[in-house]
Amino acid sequence: MVERAGSGAVAAETSVVPGVGQRRRGWVIAGVAVVLGGVLGFHRLVPNWPGRVGSLIESFLPWGGVLIVVLLVVALVRRSAVALVALLLPVGVWVDTFGGLLLPGEEGGGRELVVVQHNVSDENRDPAGTARALADSGADLVALEELVDPQLAAYEKALAADYPHHVVRGTVGLWSKHPLSGEQVVDIKPRSIEEGWSRGLRAVVRSPYGDVAAYVAHLPSVRVGVGGLASQRRDESAALLGRTIADESVEPVILLGDLNGVVEDRGLRPLTSQLAFAESGFAFSFPAAFPLARIDQVMARSATVGHIRTLAATGSDHLPVVARVALE
């Protein structure tokens, strides 16, 4: 009798412990879900020191959706009701923040310009082929970065037939189907970079719908290392560009460029605070081999940037992006 009672106690004990462990695991998943929802919804509150961790998190916010899916699978395997309920928070925040980007763009209207933005890479081995691919998009404006000799001549030759008007300043250029005027360099050089660095330009596009101020910019590169995100130069350059655009007298304004940052990144606030960006489309553009983020941007003021998408890979480590900009 004693042995039977003892074995029964052991059986009862072992039957309870797994349930307790399962519930604990469910609460752990729920806790992670709540934290993820908080980061997605309140990423601006994440401090940017040390290592600009806030900007680093913001650079990959859309990928929070992948983490949500992983947590959902684990919760289903664990059959944890509390974890599934908690997951409603990050799901709701993600859908509210990024769900609109999944919707198809609206049909184009009458007063719009099609624009292409592409960092063509200074190591591009097929500039002529890249230029032809961009021209095939039928865009009104084509903005290019990392233009260097001798590739520049190849772009000018290949694009001349479709784009009779163009301007190049430093390593950035703008090709247009419509006349250009007021071409000038835009100084966005951080103080710590030596002279000769020129990555910004402005021109007025004489479009069929009136004048448009077009800017092309290539902000300094950002590196991720042991110390975090090295974006000081990028942020300084964004601030300089933001001040210039704020003083722009011609409306509408279109900014095309490799900004080395996503629109959620607080380092681009001098631009995103005054310019609208794409209403739909993720268009991850970098790196071309496995795109993780859209750092090639189309932004506008007194205009609406509609659906943005990528074009097929060229000889660059970036993908081209194309968007329709509806003028107000």
Side-chain angles (χ1 to χ4, degrees):
M1 293 295 291
V2 174
E3 291 180 359
R4 285 196 296 271
S7 61
V10 172
E13 186 176 322
T14 56
S15 66
V16 170
V17 172
V20 172
Q22 192 171 30
R23 286 195 295 273
R24 286 175 179 172
R25 286 190 290 270
W27 280 105
V28 169
I29 299 169
V32 174
V34 171
V35 171
L36 178 58
V39 171
L40 289 172
F42 301 99
H43 55 89
R44 296 290 184 198
L45 299 181
V46 177
N48 218 21
W49 187 89
R52 280 175 160 74
V53 64
S55 285
L56 182 60
I57 290 173
E58 289 162 347
S59 297
F60 300 100
L61 274 184
W63 292 98
V66 175
L67 297 179
I68 292 173
V69 172
V70 172
L71 291 175
L72 176 60
V73 171
V74 175
L76 290 173
V77 171
R78 297 298 184 186
R79 298 180 182 179
S80 172
V82 67
L84 291 172
V85 172
L87 276 166
L88 293 175
L89 174 61
V91 168
V93 175
W94 192 94
V95 171
D96 180 64
T97 305
F98 301 109
L101 297 178
L102 297 173
L103 301 176
E106 297 181 359
E107 293 296 326
R111 289 175 50 83
E112 70 173 18
L113 297 175
V114 178
V115 300
V116 164
Q117 150 59 29
H118 191 29
N119 178 327
V120 294
S121 174
D122 55 7
E123 298 180 351
N124 195 320
R125 296 183 179 180
D126 185 21
T130 297
R132 287 192 296 270
L134 301 178
D136 287 345
S137 69
D140 295 277
L141 303 176
V142 175
L144 305 181
E145 298 82 44
E146 294 199 10
L147 294 170
V148 295
D149 292 327
Q151 292 97 322
L152 174 57
Y155 290 112
E156 291 177 326
K157 181 178 179 180
L159 292 171
D162 295 290
Y163 299 92
H165 313 281
H166 85 281
V167 54
V168 176
R169 294 290 185 272
T171 58
V172 300
L174 177 67
W175 276 257
S176 173
K177 290 185 175 181
H178 314 297
L180 299 175
S181 65
E183 302 94 334
Q184 64 188 69
V185 171
V186 176
D187 185 8
I188 58 173
K189 185 182 74 66
R191 288 166 294 181
S192 60
I193 295 181
E194 62 186 17
E195 294 298 328
W197 189 96
S198 180
R199 291 187 178 184
L201 71 79
R202 173 214 184 248
V204 175
V205 181
R206 307 291 185 185
S207 83
Y209 319 110
D211 290 352
V212 177
Y215 285 79
V216 182
H218 183 190
L219 301 190
S221 299
V222 171
R223 297 287 183 265
V224 180
V226 177
L229 194 71
S231 64
Q232 295 92 331
R233 288 178 170 179
R234 191 277 315 271
D235 296 351
E236 183 182 348
S237 190
L240 292 170
L241 181 58
R243 285 197 288 269
T244 300
I245 292 178
D247 293 335
E248 177 59 60
S249 59
V250 176
E251 299 286 344
V253 174
I254 299 177
L255 169 62
L256 304 156
D258 173 4
L259 304 186
N260 273 304
V262 301
V263 295
E264 292 82 18
D265 189 333
R266 68 192 68 185
L268 298 187
R269 282 290 293 168
L271 301 171
T272 56
S273 62
Q274 59 176 314
L275 300 172
F277 38 87
E279 297 180 337
S280 66
F282 282 99
F284 293 154
S285 63
F286 183 82
F290 188 80
L292 294 173
R294 185 177 80 240
I295 62 175
D296 296 274
Q297 305 293 352
V298 177
M299 300 182 184
R301 188 173 68 209
S302 298
T304 301
V305 182
H307 185 75
I308 190 169
R309 60 185 176 86
T310 56
L311 299 177
T314 66
S316 172
D317 54 345
H318 292 241
L319 294 177
V321 298
V322 58
R324 294 180 177 273
V325 180
L327 308 179
E328 295 179 359

